[in-house]
Amino acid sequence: MLGMSANSVSYNEQSSVESGVDAAQENSSIPASSSGGLFSADYKKNEDLKEMLESSKESLKLEAMKRIVGLIAKGKNASELFPAVVKNVASKNIELKKLVYVYLVRYAEEQQDLALLSISTFQRALKDPNQLIRASALRVLSSIRVPIIVPIMMLSIKEASTDLSPYVRKTAAHAIQKLYSLDPDQKEHLIEVIEKLLKDKSTLVAGSVVMAFEEVCPDRIDLIHKNYRKLCNLLVDVEEWGQVVIIHMLTRYARTQFVSPWREDAVFDENSEKAFYDSEEERRVEQSKPYIMDPDHRLLLRNTKPLLQSRNTAVVMAVSQLYWHLAPTHELSIITKSLVRLLRSHREVQYIVLQNIATMSIQRKGMFEPFMKSFYVRSTDATHIKTLKLEILTNLANEANISTILREFQTYVKSQDKAFAAATIQAIGRCATNISEVTDTCLNGLVLLLSNRDETVVAESVVVIKKLLQTQPSQHSDIIKHMAKLFDNITVSMARASILWLMGEYCEHVPKIAPDVLRKMAKTFTSEEDIVKLQTVNLAAKLYLTNSKQTKLLTQYILNLGKYDQSYDIRDRTRFIRQLIVPNEKSGALSKYARRILMAPKPAPVLQSAFKDRDRFQLGTLSHSLNSQANGYLELSDWPAVAPDQSVRIVEVVKEAGAPVFGKSKPGKSDEKFYSDSEEEEEEEEEGSSSEDSSSSSSEESESESESEENSDDSNKSSSSQSDSEKKKKTLKNKKLQQQKPDILNITYLPTQIIQKALLLIIRTKFFLMHIVLSFSNQFVASCRCSLLCLYVFLVCQFDTISWDVRVSLQASSPVFVPETSRELLHRMTGKGLSAQYRFTRQPCIYGNSMVSLQLTLSNSSDQALENIHISEKSSTGQNIHRFNAIERLEPQASVTVSMGVDFNDSTQAANFQLCTKEDEFSVSIQPAVGELLLPITMSEADFTKEQSKLVGMNESSATITMTPENVSSQSVNRKVVSVANLGVIPSSQENIHRFAGKTVSSGCLVLVSVALKDPDAVITINTENTVMASMLLRQFKTALTNSGP
Amino acid sequence: MIHSLFLVNASGDIFLEKHWKSVVSRSVCDYFFEALERATEPENVPPVIPTPHHYLINVLRHRIYFVAVIQSEVPPLFVIEFLHRVVDTFQDYFGVCTEAAIKDNVVVVYELLEEMLDNGFPLATESNILKELIKPPTILRTVVNTITGSTNVGEQLPTGQLSVVPWRRTGVKYTNNEAYFDVIEEIDAIIDKSGSTITAEIQGVIDACVKLTGMPDLTLSFMNPRLLDDVSFHPCVRFKRWEAERILSFIPPDGNFRLLSYHVSSQNLVAIPVYVKHNISFREGSSQGRFELTLGPKQTMGKAVESVLVSSQLPRGVLNANLNPSQGTYTFDPVTKLLSWDVGKINPQKLPSLKGSMSLQAGASKPDENPTINIQFKIQQLAISGLKVNRLDMYGEKYKPFKGIKYMTKAGKFQYFDRIHILFKCFFYYLLPI
């Protein structure tokens, strides 16, 4: 007992010392000797937090976590609680869990081993049905900066990037940057994810993925091409922060892809910089052919313009800089108002905006001149704001407005803020040099200021006058005299030095006064500042050369004083001057030139804006604001002389839905089928294990979509040049295979995950795999990676024969057959020249899951252009219609293809709507054939029979027909059925039974069709819950199969 | 993007820190403190401060510096705008944004910051979304939570986050459906001694408080939309509609928000509703100065000028002021040299005046500037620009809301040396036909 208590005491002591050390490190101001009681109390506090965390009561735990978060917020160290906190990571209480997350993200880096305990919880949460939980799990997982989990992060990001929820995908985009900063070696894989996410159509994702792009691979401009137009079009709907990032990225992009719009309208402000003007002119000579703006360039300018009205100042600034860097000069003026509006915002916003205006106003005064009054300084402005406004006013000054500006400046000089008053005097000096008409006025004004009571004002005036006088000294000897008189009263060294310099430089204009000033200086030399001493030495030397009779002795006296001065500079200067001007035996050839050296005419200083060179940085950036290159600043490239290929941006979204998909959709091309299927399965393998049926089907959808996007080019031409398109197809496949390689390699990085996946696959596959598992596990011991790779490839190759579990059976596949026939929607006679045709594309609709995708071809057969063709907002029947974007103008004899979506709600009721042009409205209606209300799906034969056995009785309808002889072949049966209805063909082991499967578009209910041939009869069986549809389908199949002909 | 955030109070202490990436030592703030020391006024700290490895971007609101630590190139306005948004959110949640309020609600603050940024990139900044994720603290909720054990944290992803109207939460229900719009205008004018206007601009905002059930779709039209020279909208406003018809059409967020801010250009003549006559003089060699100030209404279209408040920064040499107001009360702070005079309502028959003497520091030279005078007031029922709302309609919901529009002109006025700067605001209140 005694021993135990002693133990515990010593333990406590030890730990209290430890905590004392901790605390002392944390707050070194507390003397270490006073540890003991104070710190042990502190330690106790943490101890009771630990107890609270370990209690069973949720509320106590929560309270403890709240206090811990309080500690973190104060910057106190709470890392010793890590083990106690991490236990609660799986808590059901969402607030508690969130606070634990906060804690984990803060300390995981320090406690990497313990942090690993929490990983499995996140992995589980990544599969939670609640998207918020999935997203926050990914957020925390990716925020834990523990290098060991890089592979897990990579995998999670890949999975999340195909998640159904755009919110999760957005989180994945953020996680990309986190992983990249943790392990830059993952760059290649991350770029793949970025590429995938860039294709995402959700506005939520766009900003985040572009951010990731900017961080990870800003140089991969090729990834943007295909997404450029989409980004431009989405921009208005993207959240405001994303807008800023996208606009900055697009600015850089546009500078590499388009030619300069500036050359045609090189008519600049007459005041603009000369050099700039010249270069423009050169360019104009070089390129004489007329400039036509790339439509994509125009698209960007047009789509960003409304954002100038944004409430977010960063967005307005981003658009302004985009216009500044990309827009033709005459369009630039639209940004002025918005920028001026921002000046009413917070102080910090004003600061940045004024900096940018200052840079702009140097190049183009005209832009801001009408708003000059907005830059008038207010007494309540902060000093840096005042200085910037002054800068802008000075930049804007010209002959016409200079009197107004000078009047304004006069009031500023009286400001109580002396730094500002001094800056104003400098500004007056700049105006005086820039505008010769007012030089005298300014000079007189400045001379008046010399009698100001405030010393800084006087000093600054002297300095500025000095600079001004250099331009025309001969006319102003009276001013120099006046300044000599003031000399005694001026104490600011810079001003004294300036006067001395003036005396020396223009001693010929004031021959009587200068020696007297030197005499005074000789008296006070030792007590002057260095800068004044230097100028005194200069003055002495200059006077010695011009008027040695009067000043010889004075000069020698001063040189002697300088010789023993404390400052190196002054001793050096004195020695130099003495050798130069005093002739002695040692002095060489140089002293002959002393006069020419010292009295050489000096060029007048150029007073110019501090913002002169800022335009080397992109406006609105941190680098511009600091006037030095910040980390990670991306240079804005110069316009290319010749625009790169424009076609890289072409993505024919409109036709995308109508494009028949290659490969698996075309029967009879078995080699291609092999490839395309395996691709798909690889996809699945990457994602399948975690994402459940819904997400895997979505991933496939997105895959097929992206594929069709890629293929769209070729597919459109396919009818005209079949061989050509096939060639392309092959290269495409090759490309695809190449793309997959890294995936495979990547997966071998992750043994645990792949084992899980492989096993899962094996369990799912039904036959002949058991022995593989056995052999696999043996090999696994030896070299798991190799065997896994083998297994992986093997599985991929064998996939055709593997049957899937029912859960994956409802995947929509691409249509087997897409009819080319179009139906008439509007005849050109009734449509007053406008004719419209529609056809069903049989693709999943991109506008909504329950919509049927339609392709509309509108042609203008009149002799006048039709404007603003659109579908009226009012729909007479209840269907939900996704309208195509209004067509602004359709030229005579031109036609355009657009796509739209209609939710027929699984009924063949016609959709009626109004097709409108600018002048007219035409009522039209689309009546779908029942077969178009389906989407094909793929499933195994076994699944088919299983599902069929569930849909019997009322759900089954069948009919016996007599087949025409030419229809008996299996090919023709297949063709007939799929042409009537959009169904998928199920591989059948029996030759005389053909099976087809599909689902209804709106409700997604299964439709199974089987045709059993019993020569010469055939039995058609349809199993579906939608009996109305079944009977209609049955009727159509009957007619199709009994009729001969194609 | 944003690496860390430090909150610094007026006395220069860091009282909160938050890191979104790996931890940045708080010693990075030393560079900020250096700048703070150099600055003569709290406002004079430069907003962007470079340090060897980081960049500090700060904003000052409510006497708290919000210092963001940046590691690489980012548009500075992006950070500044975000920091202001953080302050707005705190204000929205806690009513005030003071050090005490932040310390009291440190957990909510942390939860908010966690939601607002992910890896330094803004995630959710819409007040409506945040409020669904993290409920604002109220006394009632605290009590309920302690009893029932429920939490302040939402379990579902806010619907707005995914929808096309991210600013509005779904499932809004009110028993009284109300929508109020305040039209507030400020005039910023510079007037010289003789009373003539050098420059005047009107800056207006329409602040709304909308408490409507469901998903109402509102349209607001003006009698004279041409007055609005330059506008900026809340994201809810449909820009196309405005471009085409000059009608504000929007699905409003729930609660308070700024629908629109606008600018009426200086080209339009602005009638200044108040004039000032002042005579402030000091005599050389004397320790006394005279102070005389008279206010009067001018072009107020018959509306009363109310809640007038005059304040003036007197020169540093002034030790004390002994003044006599004809109405209202005045105070003089000898430390800051700030004179403020609460005038109340201006009676056109008997103009308010403030007269008296000032005592100066002995031996000090005569102050040569005229002090700055700043005047604030309200005029009810008058939007100084003449902007008038035509009608407000609601679509998409069936109930009849109670609608109100209030107009107000608010002014702040400074004399700048020998001229005056003015800011006005005015209120106007009437009910629209429903």
Side-chain angles (χ1 to χ4, degrees), chain A residues 62 66 69-70 72-75 93-95 98-99 102 105-106 109-110 130-133 139 143 145 165-167 170-171 174 177-178 204 207-208 211 215 239-242 244-245 248 306 308-314 317 337-338 340-342 344 346-349 351-353 370 373-374 376-384 386 407-408 411-412 414-416 418 420 453 620-623 625-626 629-634, chain B residues 1 15-23 26 40 42-50 53 55 57-61 65 70-78 80-82 84-85 106-107 110-111 114-115 117-119 121-123 125-126 133 149 151-158 161-162 186 188-190 198-199 201 203 229-235 239 261 263 267 315-316 365-366 368-369 372 414-419 421 423:
Chain A
L62 190 60
K66 283 184 174 174
V69 166
I72 296 174
K74 279 187 210 131
N93 182 321
I94 190 131
E95 187 169 19
K98 279 207 162 169
L99 295 178
V102 167
V105 172
R106 172 68 180 75
E109 208 172 359
E110 297 170 23
N130 183 337
Q131 50 183 344
L132 184 61
I133 292 177
R139 271 179 69 188
S143 299
R145 291 165 293 274
S165 155
Y167 185 71
K170 184 186 178 73
T171 322
H174 289 168
Q177 304 162 52
K178 299 181 205 172
L204 205 58
S208 301
M211 189 63 227
E215 294 255 314
E239 38 86 38
E240 41 198 348
W241 310 106
V244 179
V245 177
H248 273 272
L308 282 172
Q309 254 65 49
S310 171
R311 65 167 170 173
N312 186 318
T313 57
M317 190 65 234
K337 264 186 194 171
S338 308
V340 171
R341 187 188 68 229
L342 297 190
R344 295 298 310 238
H346 298 285
R347 176 183 70 96
E348 298 84 6
V349 175
Y351 175 71
I352 303 291
V353 173
K373 285 179 174 173
S374 305
Y376 281 6
V377 172
R378 287 153 220 295
S379 61
T380 44
D381 287 336
T383 307
H384 50 254
K386 286 180 186 164
R407 211 164 39 236
E408 189 67 22
T411 60
Y412 299 168
K414 295 178 201 158
S415 163
Q416 284 180 325
K418 291 306 163 204
F420 172 56
R453 255 177 300 151
T621 60
L622 185 63
S623 305
S625 184
L626 295 168
Q629 186 155 337
N631 294 337
Y633 172 74
L634 299 166
Chain B
M1 293 250 143
F15 66 93
L16 187 122
E17 62 179 70
K18 169 93 182 92
H19 307 274
W20 284 275
K21 301 184 184 182
S22 46
V23 178
R26 53 165 67 191
T40 45
E43 293 83 29
N44 284 352
V45 180
V48 184
I49 303 168
H53 301 290
Y55 306 94
I57 297 185
N58 70 82
V59 306
L60 173 66
R61 293 266 305 262
Y65 289 98
I70 311 296
Q71 215 160 26
S72 60
E73 175 64 54
V74 57
L77 269 186
F78 185 98
I80 289 169
E81 178 79 24
F82 176 79
H84 281 297
R85 212 59 80 76
V106 71
V107 175
Y110 240 69
E111 284 168 346
E114 189 71 28
E115 284 307 328
L117 274 189
D118 180 18
N119 195 37
F121 191 80
L123 190 63
T125 49
E126 279 300 335
L133 281 170
T151 65
N152 275 339
V153 178
E155 302 202 12
Q156 288 296 326
L157 185 71
Q161 185 70 278
L162 294 174
E186 287 188 352
D188 188 348
I190 302 177
I198 291 176
T199 163
E201 298 180 334
Q203 191 73 23
D229 187 37
D230 183 47
V231 282
S232 75
F233 301 114
H234 189 275
F239 184 73
S261 43
H263 182 263
Q267 273 77 15
R316 264 179 231 134
S365 57
K366 176 188 144 198
D368 63 350
E369 311 90 345
T372 311
F414 353 47
Q415 180 172 356
Y416 197 84
F417 314 117
D418 54 344
R419 39 172 80 168
H421 279 212
L423 283 159

Side-chain angles (χ1 to χ4, degrees), chain B residues 204-218:
Chain B
V205 293
I206 299 183
D207 280 343
C209 175
V210 177
K211 295 181 172 175
L212 296 175
T213 307
M215 271 284 169
D217 196 335
L218 303 179

Side-chain angles (χ1 to χ4, degrees), chain A residues 744-861:
Chain A
I744 295 169
L745 293 176
N746 176 39
I747 277 167
T748 57
Y749 278 139
L750 317 161
T752 46
Q753 267 73 28
I754 190 65
I755 292 165
Q756 270 181 7
K757 285 191 162 184
L759 288 177
L760 209 109
L761 257 179
I762 291 158
I763 294 161
R764 281 184 181 175
T765 54
K766 289 211 170 141
F767 60 105
F768 85 82
L769 280 177
M770 281 320 285
H771 70 278
I772 295 183
V773 174
L774 291 174
S775 64
F776 159 68
S777 54
N778 287 336
Q779 282 170 1
F780 177 62
V781 182
S783 74
C784 85
R785 283 186 186 187
C786 176
S787 64
L788 275 170
L789 188 61
C790 295
L791 176 74
Y792 185 75
V793 174
F794 175 69
L795 287 177
V796 164
C797 299
Q798 292 298 325
F799 222 89
D800 276 7
T801 51
I802 294 169
S803 56
W804 282 86
D805 188 305
V806 186
R807 281 202 294 170
V808 289
S809 67
L810 275 184
Q811 290 166 2
S813 65
S814 322
V816 181
F817 173 81
V818 181
E820 292 292 330
T821 50
S822 305
R823 273 164 256 204
E824 184 137 90
L825 186 64
L826 181 67
H827 191 262
R828 67 186 163 86
M829 298 308 283
T830 44
K832 298 181 186 168
L834 176 70
S835 69
Q837 294 193 313
Y838 70 95
R839 73 181 187 92
F840 292 93
T841 62
R842 294 195 166 182
Q843 297 285 339
C845 184
I846 52 171
Y847 305 116
N849 285 336
S850 59
M851 284 189 177
V852 175
S853 166
L854 281 163
Q855 186 176 311
L856 234 59
T857 309
L858 302 161
S859 339
N860 182 358
S861 49

Side-chain angles (χ1 to χ4, degrees), chain A residues 862-911:
Chain A
S862 69
D863 47 4
Q864 280 166 349
L866 295 167
E867 286 179 22
N868 192 20
I869 304 169
H870 63 279
I871 295 175
S872 154
E873 298 275 332
K874 309 173 289 240
S875 165
S876 47
T877 46
Q879 286 100 340
N880 186 5
I881 296 177
H882 186 281
R883 296 165 186 85
F884 57 88
N885 291 337
I887 297 158
E888 278 171 20
R889 195 178 162 86
L890 189 61
E891 298 295 336
Q893 305 312 323
S895 70
V896 65
T897 308
V898 291
S899 67
M900 59 183 286
V902 181
D903 184 356
F904 286 105
N905 211 3
D906 290 347
S907 108
T908 52
Q909 198 195 359

